[in-house]
Structure formats: C-alpha cells, structure tokens
Amino acid sequence: MIVTAEKSYRAEIGIKDGRIAQISGGQVSAAAQVLDAEGKWILPGIIDVHTHMELPMELATSCDDFTTGTRAAACGGVTTIIDFSLHRKGTSLEASLRDRRRAADGRVAVDYGLHAEIVEVNEAILDEIPRLVRDGVTSFKLYMAYRRDGRMVDDGGLYAVLKRTAEVSGLVMVHAENGPLLEHLTEQLLMDGKVAPIFHARSRPHQVEEEAVRRAIYLSRFAHGHLYIVHLTTSQALSAVQETHDGGFPVWAETCPQYLLLDETVYLGEGGGDFIATPPLRSPKDREALWLGLAQGGISVISTDHCPFTKEQKRLGMERFDRIPNGLPGVETSLPLIYTHGVYQGHLTANQLVAAMSANPAKIFGLYPAKGALEVGSDADLVIFDPQVEFTISAKALHMNTDFSPYQGFTCRGAVQLTMLRGRIIAQNSQFCGSSGYGQFLHRRIFEPDNCQFWSTHEKASSSAGGPAGQED
Ligand SMILES: [Zn+2]
C-alpha cells in the first residue's frame, strides 16, 4: 500500500539509479533486487525539519552528534533532517553555515539541510540573506527569547529580516516566546524559592507563547513576510494562527510529538527534570487542540525539535529548573508514535500523517517533489512501515545517544521495517545498515507560499465526501 499525502493505493514501485523510475505496470529486470512489501505500507521518507545535533548549551552539549543522530534518524524512518547553523554575534551567517557543514559533511547518514540562525541583525547580515537563498539556504531562524544567551532578536530586527527574506522568497522561522516576560516570571519564582521542575512550566505560561505568536504574525503581516512558527504548543497560540488563516493571510506552524503525547504532569513525577524542554509541556486540553489543529490544517508540520541529553547531563542543572539543559530526544521515535497516537487512535488519517511529516515540510522547505513524494522522478527515499507490529519503547533499544526516552514504556502500534535513501537501504528491522557520509547536503529551492496553503486545500478535501484526504485503505 503506497501512502502519500494525497492518497493510498496498491502498487509496485520500481527504483533505478536512486530515483523512482516507475510505479506499477512495467517490466521488472531480471537483475533487479525485489523487496516484498505485501501487507505493509510504503511512505515517503520522513523529513524532520527541526533537529539540534551536537548543540552546545550552557551546561552541556546535546548528546547526539551528526553521526549518531542521523543513524538513529535512519532507524526511525527519517531520510532527511534540517538542522541549524550556530550563529554568533560578530560573525557572518555564511561563516556559521560553513562551520556547521564542516561538522556534518562526511558524517551524516541521511540527507540534510541547514536553516541559517540569525542572532544579530545589521546591514551586513541583511545583505547576506539574498546570497544564502541563492545558494540553497532558504530559511532563517530567529529567537524572540533567550535574551541572556545573546540569541534574542528584537522586533525591529525581526521585522527587517521578515521583509528582506520575503523579497527574495525565503522563509523566516521564529521561536515565539516573549523573552523579557518569561525572564521576569522566572526571577519571581526563584525569589520565592520555587525551583522544582514544574516551575519551568509556570515560568512560561501560555500567555508567554501566545503574545509572541501574535506579535510575530503582526510583524510578518506588516512586512509582507513569510512566517513559520516553530514548536507551537498551546490552544491560544493555535487560535492566533487559525484566525490569521480565516482572515486570508498565510502563516505556517509546526508542533512536535512531545506536545501531542505528553503533558506537564510529568514534571511533578520522579525524574521530572528529565522532561524539561522549551516551550514546556502543556495541559491535556492543549494536546487535544493540537491534534485538531493538525487534522484541520491549522498546523502544517510535525517536527521533533530533537535535542537529547543524557540523564547525567540533565542532572547538572537539577537544583534549579532554569539551569536544566533544555531538550528531548525524538528523531527516532516520531513516526511510530504519531502513527499510534495520531492514526491508530483516530486523530489523523494516514495521508494527513504523511502530509505533516513528509510532504508539507518538503514543500515548505524547498525539497518537493524530489523529497516528500512517491512519484516517478522523486528520490527513492521511502519507508516500509508495518502497521500491525506492536512494540514497547525502551531507551536502551534505541539508537539515539541517550539513556533517556520521554516515551519509555509507551506501546507503539506500527513499526518501521525498512528505510531507503536514494535507493539504498540504510536501516532494516531497527538495525542501521547505511553509512555515515552517504547523506548529502541539500541545496533547497525558494519558498513558494502559493503551493503551501494547506489549510485551504484541507477544507476542500474534507468537504467533498470520500475525498482522498479521508481515505486510508
Ligand atoms: Zn529547537
């Protein structure tokens, strides 16, 4: 069963020279290797557009490097990741991209791209944007928080980048939290001696996110920009996005498995600090809203924000919630978890899963239809997925370089059986069998907003009874 963002149908796929050469009907050459996927699903390879391999933070560096992280990705059905450059004040965007490529090239087991992080805005930086877009780096990441780390960009800077980027058909991604507000709330809590992990969530209530999301949308509309909100987590912020769509203006949003599957009560339990991520985990009500947002098209993408630490690394900051290294592992587990909790439990169709985890990210980030599609001419990036298998997640059995999984003990229905990248099998039955360095850097195409209005196509599809979006098998 071939499952794409549009439809599910039975067919055979022929692959030659790393690309899909035919779909059903043709002659199979005697020399061909044949893989039997009877009873299984074939999905386009998962595209995780938000990962942080070997990201240095204050107390620790995220513990997957480009080698271990992309091996784990391959085992989880992920064939492309997009990570971030590490921009520092006083350096050019180009230099920071070059450094990051030096860290990744020759080590990655899946294809990869980079978003250009921007932590400082001036004329020289703005002048780099058209050059980078021409060179295939078409997305730029800005932070509305992390002022003390020197990463926060103010409203003027955000406006300027939105404007300049849209002029050359690029996309601006924002971490939307009101930095000064959450710093104030954090200080208040610490002064009251409130240092336990749950206060991480209290220091960043939904207002912190909603205000920043609304402000970013406002600035984007003023600048005629193209705005993508990373890791959206609350029903209030989702409403801001949906109101914008209803008003006829585009804005793109992603969420992550942790916000769909977990809630803030984990901070109260033993080892609650291990679950610290930013934004914090939210309420069960928010989880429901996010699933609905995905199904209705308000949220376009599921990424993981993969940024793992070991339990020992997390302990380094355990005496105070704001010191604990921020981030969770996720690149290897996203597909089975979203299949189980999204498709199997009835929140999403299989086609909606493929849209959010492969086709939409490929379209938004300039990779479609080489990636994100199973069409003649597409890269032979695919996953053979067995929707019948059941397994239980255990950090020990996973390939990510950490002893912690926030989903430890979760039972998954559906497992990745095989992952193929450009015609080569890179993982099979939870064993990595690719090679580090086979992954290529992806020069991405410009952003085409007209091809990414997913919320409007969804309305059309769901209103025509029996439309392709509603069909699974
Ligand atoms: Zn992130």
Side-chain angles (χ1 to χ4, degrees), residues 362-379:
K363 288 173 184 169
I364 292 172
F365 294 98
L367 298 169
Y368 194 86
K371 311 285 192 194
L374 295 174
E375 302 284 344
V376 171
S378 296
D379 286 359

Side-chain angles (χ1 to χ4, degrees), residues 50 52 84 141 231 305:
H50 191 157
H52 300 283
F84 300 84
K141 164 87 176 284
H231 51 45
D305 200 4

Side-chain angles (χ1 to χ4, degrees), residues 314-335:
K314 288 278 191 186
R315 297 268 134 67
L316 294 172
M318 217 47 119
E319 83 288 354
R320 231 176 77 177
F321 69 82
D322 65 321
R323 304 269 295 154
I324 298 173
N326 268 241
L328 296 172
V331 74
E332 189 176 357
T333 48
S334 60
L335 174 56

Side-chain angles (χ1 to χ4, degrees), residues 46 48 51 53 63-81 107-110 304 306 308 329-336 383 395-402 404 416 418-419 426-436:
I46 300 303
D48 191 342
T51 66
M53 305 302 174
C63 60
D64 261 324
D65 59 23
F66 279 104
T67 305
T68 62
T70 57
R71 284 171 171 241
C75 293
V78 176
T79 51
T80 297
I81 61 164
R107 293 168 71 203
V108 284
V110 301
T304 65
H306 177 76
V331 74
E332 189 176 357
T333 48
S334 60
L335 174 56
V383 177
K396 268 202 187 93
L398 295 169
H399 300 76
M400 298 179 286
N401 191 28
T402 171
F404 172 69
V416 174
L418 180 147
T419 309
I426 57 170
Q428 200 161 9
N429 299 323
S430 302
Q431 293 293 318
F432 176 71
C433 56
S435 56
S436 300

Side-chain angles (χ1 to χ4, degrees), residues 4 32 73 105 128 147 156 173 200 211 244 281 296 301 315 333 361 388 409 423 472:
T4 68
D105 286 334
E128 282 194 83
R147 180 166 60 169
M173 310 163 78
H200 173 65
E211 187 280 332
T244 307
L281 303 173
Q296 295 177 340
V301 170
R315 297 268 134 67
T333 48
Q388 306 299 334
E472 274 181 52

